[in-house]
Amino acid sequence: MSTLPRNGIYAITDGQPHRLIERSEQALAGGVAMIQYRDLSDDHPRRLAEATALAALCVRYGRPLIIDHDIALAQAVGAAGVHLSQADGGPSAVRAVLGANAIVGVSCYASAELATAAARAGASYVSFGAFFPSPTKPDAGRAPLDLLRQTAALGVARVAIGGITPDNGRLLIDAGADFIATVSALYGASDTRAAAVDMAALFTA
């Protein structure tokens, strides 16, 4: 699947192999809109095996799989797209490999200017954060809530990330976030499916 959903919960894997596929299926069953495979290790055989399994799982649930940084891995497993940092190049490099319909996300941190440039370059979505203290990236800079309001006219989807839970996620949606992304609120939960259900309900509340 290479169509960006309209909105929803964006699950990002935690880089821990233990129960990765099981927890990802629970997240999908609970209603997440898409999954990003994020693993920064150099264990290439394991990464390929995990991404392959996740790709099959996402196809079964009809949800996009996005690969963090790695265009070659995304191509190898037939992923829907790639998420880029500011150091990874632009959307055109991804689409040259994955095709014109690939989903391309770009990290824009707390910068409306970076988001504007990414949108002009053809990004499918831009991500901002961290909005709250993040257990995954405790040293991440903070993005103000008003950034979502300031970028309402960008013309691309906006993803909010960083310390998001069922208790604070609605604030971001009300400010204009199309997606709220989380690692620990799903992959660190004792019941990932229940956590996904709770978070997905924020979009219908």
Side-chain angles (χ1 to χ4, degrees):
M1 178 178 179
S2 59
T3 302
L4 185 71
R6 185 170 65 88
N7 58 26
I9 305 303
Y10 188 178
I12 301 177
T13 66
D14 62 359
Q16 303 299 317
H18 178 63
R19 297 180 62 204
L20 170 68
I21 305 305
E22 176 189 351
R23 288 184 182 273
S24 296
E25 181 159 18
Q26 290 174 358
L28 289 163
V32 302
M34 55 185 174
I35 289 182
Q36 181 188 132
Y37 177 62
R38 183 176 187 273
D39 185 292
L40 304 181
S41 76
D42 58 3
D43 188 342
H44 301 298
R46 177 176 60 78
R47 293 176 72 246
L48 177 60
E50 289 176 349
T52 299
L54 284 173
L57 195 60
C58 286
V59 167
R60 180 146 58 88
Y61 279 87
R63 307 292 166 81
L65 173 66
I66 309 299
I67 303 294
D68 185 45
H69 296 294
D70 195 332
I71 300 173
L73 181 60
Q75 181 184 37
V77 304
V82 174
H83 182 85
L84 303 173
S85 74
Q86 289 294 317
D88 289 330
S92 60
V94 176
R95 296 197 175 110
V97 177
L98 300 187
N101 294 324
I103 297 170
V104 186
V106 180
S107 290
C108 296
Y109 316 112
S111 172
E113 291 76 16
L114 290 177
T116 299
R120 288 175 177 165
S124 308
Y125 71 82
V126 295
S127 69
F128 297 119
F131 284 94
F132 306 104
S134 169
T136 304
K137 292 185 176 182
D139 297 325
R142 295 287 290 276
L145 191 64
D146 200 50
L147 180 62
L148 292 166
R149 300 185 183 97
Q150 293 169 1
T151 54
L154 268 183
V156 299
R158 288 162 299 149
V159 175
I161 191 168
I164 301 174
T165 69
D167 295 326
N168 60 31
R170 187 71 213 182
L171 291 171
L172 299 163
I173 296 167
D174 289 344
D178 300 289
F179 296 89
I180 52 177
T182 182
V183 179
S184 58
L186 293 175
Y187 287 90
S190 58
D191 185 334
T192 298
R193 179 171 180 160
V197 168
D198 287 346
M199 294 199 73
L202 295 172
F203 282 91
T204 58

